Coordinates of all heavy atoms in Angstrom, one line a residue:
M26 N 81.9 85.8 135.4 CA 83.0 85.2 134.9 C 83.7 86.0 133.7 O 83.0 86.5 132.8 CB 82.7 83.8 134.3 CG 83.7 82.9 133.9 SD 83.2 81.2 133.6 CE 84.5 80.8 132.6
D27 N 85.0 86.2 133.8 CA 85.7 86.9 132.8 C 85.7 86.1 131.5 O 85.9 84.9 131.5 CB 87.2 87.2 133.3 CG 87.2 88.2 134.3 OD1 86.2 89.0 134.4 OD2 88.2 88.2 135.1
R28 N 85.7 86.9 130.4 CA 85.8 86.3 129.1 C 87.2 86.2 128.7 O 88.0 87.0 129.1 CB 85.0 87.0 128.1 CG 83.5 86.9 128.4 CD 82.6 87.9 127.7 NE 82.9 88.0 126.3 CZ 82.4 88.9 125.4 NH1 81.5 89.9 126.0 NH2 82.7 88.9 124.2
P29 N 87.6 85.1 127.8 CA 89.0 85.2 127.4 C 89.4 86.4 126.6 O 88.5 87.1 126.0 CB 89.0 84.0 126.4 CG 87.8 83.1 126.9 CD 86.8 84.1 127.4
Y30 N 90.7 86.7 126.7 CA 91.1 88.1 126.1 C 90.8 88.2 124.7 O 90.3 89.2 124.3 CB 92.6 88.1 126.2 CG 93.1 89.4 125.6 CD1 93.0 90.6 126.2 CD2 93.9 89.3 124.4 CE1 93.6 91.7 125.6 CE2 94.3 90.4 123.8 CZ 94.2 91.6 124.3 OH 94.7 92.7 123.7
H31 N 90.9 87.1 123.8 CA 90.8 87.3 122.4 C 89.3 87.6 122.0 O 89.0 88.3 121.1 CB 91.2 86.0 121.6 CG 90.3 84.8 121.8 ND1 90.6 84.0 122.9 CD2 89.4 84.3 121.1 CE1 89.7 83.0 122.8 NE2 88.9 83.2 121.8
H32 N 88.3 87.2 123.0 CA 86.9 87.6 122.6 C 86.8 89.1 122.9 O 86.1 89.7 122.1 CB 86.0 86.8 123.5 CG 85.9 85.4 123.1 ND1 85.1 85.0 121.9 CD2 86.4 84.3 123.6 CE1 85.2 83.7 121.8 NE2 85.9 83.3 122.8
E33 N 87.3 89.6 124.0 CA 87.1 91.0 124.2 C 87.8 91.8 123.2 O 87.3 92.9 122.7 CB 87.8 91.3 125.5 CG 87.1 90.9 126.8 CD 87.8 91.0 128.1 OE1 88.8 91.8 128.1 OE2 87.4 90.3 129.0
A34 N 89.0 91.4 122.7 CA 89.7 92.1 121.6 C 88.8 92.1 120.4 O 88.6 93.2 119.7 CB 91.0 91.5 121.3
C35 N 88.2 91.0 120.1 CA 87.4 91.0 118.8 C 86.1 91.9 119.0 O 85.6 92.5 118.0 CB 87.0 89.6 118.5 SG 88.3 88.5 118.0
D36 N 85.5 91.9 120.1 CA 84.3 92.7 120.4 C 84.6 94.2 120.2 O 83.8 94.9 119.6 CB 83.8 92.6 121.8 CG 83.1 91.1 122.0 OD1 82.8 90.4 121.0 OD2 83.0 90.7 123.1
G37 N 85.8 94.6 120.5 CA 86.1 96.0 120.4 C 86.9 96.2 119.1 O 87.3 97.5 118.9
C38 N 87.1 95.4 118.3 CA 88.1 95.6 117.1 C 87.4 96.4 116.0 O 86.3 96.0 115.6 CB 88.4 94.2 116.7 SG 89.6 94.3 115.2
P39 N 87.9 97.4 115.6 CA 87.3 98.3 114.5 C 87.5 97.7 113.2 O 87.0 98.2 112.2 CB 88.0 99.6 114.7 CG 89.2 99.3 115.3 CD 89.1 98.1 116.1
E40 N 88.4 96.7 113.1 CA 88.8 96.1 111.8 C 87.6 95.3 111.2 O 86.9 94.6 111.8 CB 90.0 95.1 112.0 CG 91.3 95.8 112.3 CD 92.0 96.4 111.0 OE1 91.7 95.9 110.0 OE2 92.8 97.3 111.3
K41 N 87.6 95.3 109.9 CA 86.6 94.6 109.1 C 87.2 93.3 108.8 O 88.3 93.1 108.3 CB 86.3 95.3 107.7 CG 85.3 94.5 106.9 CD 85.1 95.3 105.6 CE 84.2 94.5 104.7 NZ 84.0 95.1 103.3
L42 N 86.5 92.2 109.2 CA 86.9 90.8 109.0 C 86.6 90.4 107.5 O 85.5 90.6 107.1 CB 86.3 89.8 109.9 CG 86.8 89.6 111.3 CD1 86.1 88.7 112.1 CD2 88.3 89.3 111.2
V43 N 87.5 89.9 106.8 CA 87.3 89.5 105.4 C 87.1 87.9 105.5 O 86.1 87.5 104.8 CB 88.5 89.7 104.5 CG1 88.3 89.0 103.2 CG2 88.7 91.2 104.4
C44 N 87.9 87.2 106.3 CA 87.7 85.8 106.5 C 87.3 85.5 108.0 O 88.2 85.7 108.8 CB 89.0 85.1 106.1 SG 88.9 83.3 106.3
R45 N 86.1 85.2 108.1 CA 85.6 85.0 109.5 C 86.2 83.6 110.0 O 86.4 83.6 111.3 CB 84.0 84.9 109.5 CG 83.4 86.2 109.2 CD 82.0 86.1 109.3 NE 81.4 87.4 108.9 CZ 81.1 88.4 109.7 NH1 81.5 88.2 111.0 NH2 80.7 89.5 109.5
C46 N 86.4 82.6 109.3 CA 86.9 81.4 109.8 C 88.3 81.6 110.4 O 88.6 80.9 111.4 CB 87.0 80.4 108.6 SG 85.4 79.8 108.0
L47 N 89.2 82.3 109.7 CA 90.5 82.4 110.2 C 90.9 83.7 110.8 O 92.0 84.1 111.1 CB 91.5 82.2 108.9 CG 91.8 80.7 108.5 CD1 92.6 80.0 109.7 CD2 90.6 79.9 108.1
H48 N 89.7 84.6 110.9 CA 89.8 85.9 111.6 C 91.0 86.8 110.9 O 91.8 87.4 111.5 CB 90.1 85.8 113.1 CG 89.1 85.1 113.8 ND1 89.4 84.1 114.6 CD2 87.8 85.1 113.8 CE1 88.3 83.5 115.1 NE2 87.4 84.2 114.6
V49 N 90.9 86.8 109.6 CA 91.8 87.7 108.8 C 91.1 88.9 108.4 O 90.0 88.9 107.9 CB 92.4 87.0 107.6 CG1 93.3 87.8 106.8 CG2 93.0 85.7 107.9
T50 N 91.8 90.1 108.7 CA 91.1 91.4 108.5 C 91.4 91.9 107.1 O 92.4 91.5 106.4 CB 91.6 92.5 109.5 OG1 93.0 92.7 109.3 CG2 91.4 91.9 111.0
E51 N 90.6 93.0 106.8 CA 90.7 93.6 105.4 C 92.1 94.2 105.3 O 92.7 94.1 104.3 CB 89.7 94.7 105.3 CG 89.7 95.5 104.1 CD 88.6 96.5 104.0 OE1 88.6 97.5 104.8 OE2 87.8 96.4 103.2
S52 N 92.6 94.9 106.4 CA 93.9 95.6 106.3 C 95.0 94.6 106.1 O 96.0 94.8 105.4 CB 94.2 96.5 107.5 OG 94.2 95.8 108.7
Q53 N 94.9 93.4 106.8 CA 95.9 92.3 106.6 C 95.9 91.8 105.1 O 97.0 91.7 104.6 CB 95.6 91.1 107.5 CG 95.9 91.4 109.0 CD 95.4 90.3 109.8 OE1 94.3 89.8 109.7 NE2 96.3 89.8 110.7
V54 N 94.8 91.7 104.5 CA 94.7 91.2 103.2 C 95.2 92.2 102.2 O 96.1 91.9 101.4 CB 93.2 90.9 102.8 CG1 93.1 90.7 101.3 CG2 92.8 89.6 103.6
I55 N 94.9 93.5 102.3 CA 95.3 94.5 101.5 C 96.9 94.6 101.6 O 97.6 94.9 100.6 CB 94.6 95.8 101.7 CG1 93.1 95.7 101.4 CG2 95.3 97.0 101.0 CD1 92.3 96.9 101.7
R56 N 97.4 94.7 102.8 CA 98.8 94.8 103.1 C 99.6 93.7 102.4 O 100.6 94.0 101.8 CB 99.1 94.9 104.6 CG 100.5 95.2 105.0 CD 100.7 95.4 106.4 NE 100.2 94.5 107.3 CZ 99.2 94.6 108.1 NH1 98.6 95.8 108.4 NH2 98.8 93.7 108.9
M57 N 99.2 92.6 102.5 CA 99.9 91.4 101.9 C 99.8 91.4 100.4 O 100.9 91.0 99.8 CB 99.3 90.1 102.5 CG 99.6 89.9 104.0 SD 101.3 90.0 104.4 CE 101.9 88.4 104.1
I58 N 98.7 91.8 99.9 CA 98.5 91.9 98.4 C 99.6 92.9 97.9 O 100.2 92.6 96.9 CB 97.1 92.3 97.9 CG1 96.1 91.1 98.3 CG2 97.0 92.7 96.5 CD1 94.7 91.5 98.0
E59 N 99.6 94.1 98.6 CA 100.5 95.2 98.1 C 102.0 94.9 98.3 O 102.8 95.0 97.4 CB 100.1 96.5 98.7 CG 98.7 96.9 98.3 CD 98.3 98.2 98.9 OE1 98.7 98.6 99.9 OE2 97.4 98.9 98.3
R60 N 102.2 94.4 99.5 CA 103.7 94.2 99.9 C 104.3 93.0 99.1 O 105.5 93.1 98.7 CB 103.9 93.9 101.3 CG 103.7 95.2 102.2 CD 104.2 95.0 103.6 NE 104.0 96.2 104.3 CZ 104.0 96.3 105.6 NH1 104.2 95.2 106.4 NH2 103.7 97.4 106.3
L61 N 103.6 91.9 99.0 CA 104.1 90.7 98.3 C 103.6 90.5 96.9 O 104.0 89.5 96.3 CB 103.7 89.5 99.2 CG 104.1 89.5 100.7 CD1 103.7 88.2 101.4 CD2 105.7 89.6 100.8
E62 N 102.9 91.5 96.4 CA 102.4 91.5 95.1 C 101.7 90.1 94.8 O 102.0 89.4 93.7 CB 103.6 91.7 94.1 CG 104.2 93.0 94.3 CD 105.4 93.4 93.3 OE1 105.8 92.5 92.5 OE2 105.9 94.5 93.3
L63 N 100.9 89.8 95.6 CA 100.1 88.5 95.5 C 99.1 88.6 94.3 O 98.5 89.8 94.1 CB 99.4 88.2 96.7 CG 100.2 88.1 98.0 CD1 99.4 87.6 99.3 CD2 101.3 87.1 97.8
R64 N 98.8 87.5 93.7 CA 98.0 87.6 92.4 C 96.8 86.6 92.5 O 96.0 86.8 91.8 CB 98.8 87.2 91.2 CG 99.9 88.3 90.9 CD 100.7 87.9 89.7 NE 101.6 88.9 89.4 CZ 101.5 89.8 88.5 NH1 100.4 89.9 87.7 NH2 102.4 90.7 88.3
T65 N 96.9 85.7 93.4 CA 95.8 84.6 93.4 C 95.3 84.4 94.9 O 95.9 84.7 95.8 CB 96.4 83.3 92.8 OG1 97.4 82.8 93.8 CG2 97.0 83.5 91.5
V66 N 94.1 83.8 94.9 CA 93.5 83.4 96.2 C 94.5 82.3 96.9 O 94.7 82.4 98.0 CB 92.1 82.9 96.0 CG1 91.6 82.2 97.3 CG2 91.2 84.0 95.5
R67 N 95.1 81.6 96.0 CA 96.1 80.5 96.6 C 97.1 81.3 97.3 O 97.6 80.8 98.4 CB 96.6 79.7 95.5 CG 97.6 78.7 95.9 CD 98.3 77.9 94.9 NE 97.4 76.7 94.7 CZ 97.7 75.8 93.8 NH1 98.8 75.9 93.0 NH2 96.9 74.8 93.6
D68 N 97.7 82.4 96.7 CA 98.8 83.1 97.4 C 98.2 83.7 98.7 O 98.9 83.7 99.7 CB 99.2 84.3 96.5 CG 99.8 84.0 95.2 OD1 100.4 82.7 95.2 OD2 99.9 84.7 94.3
L69 N 97.1 84.2 98.6 CA 96.4 84.8 99.9 C 96.3 83.8 101.0 O 96.6 84.0 102.1 CB 95.1 85.5 99.6 CG 95.2 86.9 99.2 CD1 93.8 87.4 98.8 CD2 95.8 87.8 100.2
R70 N 95.9 82.6 100.5 CA 95.7 81.5 101.5 C 97.0 81.2 102.2 O 97.2 80.9 103.4 CB 95.1 80.3 100.9 CG 93.7 80.5 100.5 CD 93.0 79.4 99.6 NE 93.0 78.2 100.4 CZ 92.6 77.0 99.9 NH1 92.3 76.9 98.7 NH2 92.5 75.9 100.7
Q71 N 98.1 81.1 101.3 CA 99.4 80.7 101.8 C 100.0 81.8 102.8 O 100.5 81.4 103.8 CB 100.4 80.5 100.6 CG 101.8 80.1 101.0 CD 102.6 80.0 99.9 OE1 102.3 80.0 98.7 NE2 103.9 79.8 100.1
Y72 N 99.8 83.0 102.5 CA 100.5 84.0 103.3 C 99.5 84.7 104.5 O 100.2 85.2 105.4 CB 101.1 85.2 102.4 CG 102.2 84.8 101.5 CD1 102.0 84.4 100.2 CD2 103.5 84.7 102.2 CE1 103.1 84.0 99.4 CE2 104.5 84.2 101.4 CZ 104.3 83.9 100.0 OH 105.4 83.5 99.3
T73 N 98.3 84.5 104.4 CA 97.5 85.0 105.4 C 96.6 84.0 106.1 O 96.1 84.2 107.2 CB 96.5 86.1 104.9 OG1 95.5 85.5 104.0 CG2 97.3 87.2 104.1
G74 N 96.3 82.8 105.5 CA 95.5 81.8 106.0 C 94.1 82.1 105.6 O 93.2 81.2 105.8
A75 N 93.8 83.2 105.1 CA 92.4 83.6 104.7 C 91.9 82.6 103.6 O 92.7 82.4 102.7 CB 92.3 85.0 104.1
G76 N 90.7 82.2 103.8 CA 90.2 81.3 102.8 C 90.4 79.8 103.0 O 89.9 79.0 102.2
D77 N 91.1 79.5 104.1 CA 91.4 78.1 104.4 C 90.3 77.3 105.1 O 90.4 76.1 105.5 CB 92.7 78.0 105.2 CG 93.9 77.8 104.2 OD1 93.8 77.7 103.0 OD2 95.0 77.8 104.7
G78 N 89.2 78.0 105.4 CA 88.1 77.3 106.0 C 87.0 76.9 105.1 O 87.2 76.1 104.2
C79 N 85.8 77.6 105.3 CA 84.7 77.2 104.6 C 84.7 77.6 103.1 O 83.9 77.2 102.3 CB 83.5 77.9 105.2 SG 83.4 79.6 105.1
T80 N 85.6 78.5 102.7 CA 85.8 79.0 101.3 C 84.8 80.0 100.9 O 84.9 80.5 99.8 CB 86.0 77.9 100.2 OG1 84.6 77.3 100.0 CG2 86.9 76.8 100.7
C81 N 83.8 80.4 101.7 CA 82.9 81.4 101.2 C 83.4 82.8 101.1 O 82.7 83.6 100.4 CB 81.6 81.4 102.1 SG 81.8 82.1 103.7
C82 N 84.6 83.0 101.5 CA 85.2 84.3 101.3 C 86.0 84.5 100.0 O 86.5 85.5 99.7 CB 86.1 84.7 102.6 SG 87.4 83.6 102.7
H83 N 86.1 83.4 99.3 CA 87.0 83.4 98.1 C 86.6 84.5 97.1 O 87.5 85.1 96.5 CB 87.0 82.0 97.5 CG 88.0 81.1 98.2 ND1 88.4 79.9 97.6 CD2 88.3 81.1 99.5 CE1 89.2 79.3 98.5 NE2 89.1 80.0 99.7
A84 N 85.3 84.7 96.9 CA 84.9 85.7 95.9 C 85.2 87.1 96.4 O 85.7 87.9 95.6 CB 83.3 85.6 95.7
Q85 N 85.2 87.3 97.7 CA 85.6 88.7 98.2 C 87.1 88.8 98.1 O 87.7 89.9 97.9 CB 85.2 88.8 99.6 CG 85.4 90.1 100.2 CD 84.6 90.4 101.5 OE1 84.2 89.4 102.2 NE2 84.6 91.7 101.9
L86 N 87.9 87.7 98.4 CA 89.3 87.7 98.3 C 89.7 88.1 96.8 O 90.6 88.9 96.5 CB 89.9 86.4 98.7 CG 89.8 86.0 100.1 CD1 90.4 84.6 100.4 CD2 90.4 87.1 101.0
E87 N 89.0 87.6 95.8 CA 89.2 87.8 94.4 C 89.0 89.3 94.1 O 89.8 89.9 93.5 CB 88.3 87.0 93.5 CG 88.5 85.6 93.5 CD 89.7 85.2 92.4 OE1 90.2 86.1 91.9 OE2 90.0 84.0 92.3
E88 N 88.0 89.9 94.8 CA 87.7 91.3 94.6 C 88.9 92.2 95.1 O 89.3 93.2 94.5 CB 86.4 91.8 95.2 CG 85.2 91.2 94.6 CD 83.9 91.4 95.3 OE1 83.9 92.4 96.2 OE2 82.9 90.8 95.0
Y89 N 89.4 91.8 96.2 CA 90.6 92.6 96.8 C 91.8 92.4 95.9 O 92.5 93.4 95.7 CB 90.9 92.1 98.2 CG 89.9 92.6 99.3 CD1 89.0 91.8 99.8 CD2 90.1 93.9 99.6 CE1 88.1 92.3 100.8 CE2 89.3 94.4 100.6 CZ 88.2 93.6 101.2 OH 87.5 94.1 102.1
L90 N 92.0 91.2 95.4 CA 93.1 91.0 94.4 C 92.9 91.9 93.2 O 93.8 92.5 92.7 CB 93.2 89.5 94.0 CG 93.7 88.7 95.1 CD1 93.4 87.2 94.8 CD2 95.3 88.8 95.2
E91 N 91.8 92.0 92.7 CA 91.4 92.8 91.5 C 91.7 94.3 91.7 O 92.2 95.1 91.0 CB 90.1 92.6 90.9 CG 89.8 91.2 90.3 CD 88.4 91.0 89.9 OE1 87.6 92.0 89.9 OE2 88.0 89.8 89.7
K92 N 91.2 94.7 93.0 CA 91.2 96.1 93.3 C 92.7 96.5 93.7 O 93.1 97.7 93.4 CB 90.3 96.4 94.5 CG 90.1 97.8 94.8 CD 88.9 98.0 95.7 CE 88.6 99.5 96.0 NZ 87.5 99.7 96.9
F93 N 93.5 95.7 94.4 CA 94.7 96.2 95.0 C 95.9 95.4 94.4 O 97.1 95.6 94.8 CB 94.7 95.9 96.6 CG 93.6 96.7 97.3 CD1 92.4 96.3 97.6 CD2 93.8 98.1 97.5 CE1 91.4 97.0 98.2 CE2 92.8 98.9 98.0 CZ 91.6 98.3 98.4
G94 N 95.7 94.4 93.6 CA 96.8 93.6 93.1 C 97.5 94.2 92.0 O 97.3 95.4 91.5
C95 N 98.6 93.5 91.6 CA 99.4 94.1 90.4 C 98.7 94.3 89.1 O 98.9 95.2 88.5 CB 100.5 93.1 90.2 SG 101.6 92.8 91.5
A96 N 97.8 93.4 88.8 CA 96.9 93.7 87.7 C 96.2 95.0 87.7 O 96.1 95.7 86.7 CB 96.0 92.5 87.4
A97 N 95.7 95.3 88.8 CA 94.9 96.6 89.0 C 95.8 97.7 88.8 O 95.6 98.8 88.1 CB 94.2 96.6 90.3
V98 N 97.1 97.7 89.4 CA 98.0 98.8 89.3 C 98.5 98.9 87.9 O 98.6 100.0 87.3 CB 99.2 98.6 90.2 CG1 100.3 99.5 90.0 CG2 98.8 98.5 91.7
E99 N 98.8 97.8 87.2 CA 99.2 97.9 85.7 C 98.1 98.5 84.8 O 98.4 99.2 84.0 CB 99.4 96.5 85.3 CG 100.8 96.0 85.9 CD 100.9 94.4 85.7 OE1 100.2 93.8 85.0 OE2 101.9 93.8 86.3
S100 N 96.8 98.1 85.1 CA 95.8 98.7 84.2 C 95.6 100.2 84.5 O 95.3 100.9 83.5 CB 94.4 98.0 84.5 OG 94.0 98.3 85.7
I101 N 95.8 100.7 85.7 CA 95.8 102.1 86.0 C 96.9 102.9 85.4 O 96.7 103.8 84.8 CB 95.8 102.3 87.5 CG1 94.4 101.9 88.1 CG2 95.9 103.8 87.8 CD1 94.4 101.8 89.7
A102 N 98.1 102.2 85.4 CA 99.3 102.8 84.8 C 99.2 103.0 83.2 O 99.5 103.9 82.7 CB 100.5 102.0 85.1
I103 N 98.7 102.0 82.7 CA 98.4 101.9 81.2 C 97.4 103.0 80.8 O 97.4 103.7 79.8 CB 98.1 100.5 80.7 CG1 99.3 99.6 80.9 CG2 97.7 100.5 79.2 CD1 99.0 98.1 80.6
G104 N 96.3 103.0 81.7 CA 95.3 104.0 81.5 C 94.3 103.6 80.4 O 93.7 104.0 79.7
Ligands
FES5 S1 85.1 82.8 105.7 FE1 87.1 82.6 104.8 S2 87.3 80.5 104.8 FE2 85.5 80.7 105.7

């Protein structure tokens, strides 16, 4: 029996999942942080859906915000 398309796509997907509940990938999270200058997990939840399930990815979402968000860029610029 054939498996549904989305399962096959996930099996072969090279993307790292950050939020398993909502199937949000690392590249989606980073892209949204950088493009929209997101600052909070609430922002990420609103624009990507990441973190709207079990919430166990929130600590990791915070790390992405610290690493790729405006605060990180400002601290690098100030030196
Ligand atoms: S893993 Fe992100 S909400 Fe569950």
Side-chain angles (χ1 to χ4, degrees):
M26 182 172 162
D27 289 336
R28 292 164 51 183
Y30 175 75
H31 69 276
H32 287 285
E33 290 175 14
C35 289
D36 288 346
C38 182
E40 289 280 341
K41 178 181 176 183
L42 277 180
V43 175
C44 178
R45 292 180 183 275
C46 291
L47 280 293
H48 302 129
V49 180
T50 66
E51 178 180 64
S52 64
Q53 290 173 308
V54 167
I55 293 171
R56 187 170 51 243
M57 293 306 273
I58 290 171
E59 291 179 341
R60 284 191 182 165
L61 301 178
E62 300 181 355
L63 303 182
R64 292 176 180 266
T65 66
V66 171
R67 177 183 275 185
D68 291 341
L69 274 173
R70 290 173 68 182
Q71 180 179 354
Y72 288 101
T73 69
D77 269 353
C79 70
T80 72
C81 73
C82 62
H83 283 201
Q85 192 170 10
L86 294 175
E87 289 280 1
E88 290 176 17
Y89 281 104
L90 286 162
E91 289 175 18
K92 190 169 182 181
F93 298 101
C95 295
V98 172
E99 289 168 5
S100 69
I101 290 170
I103 293 170

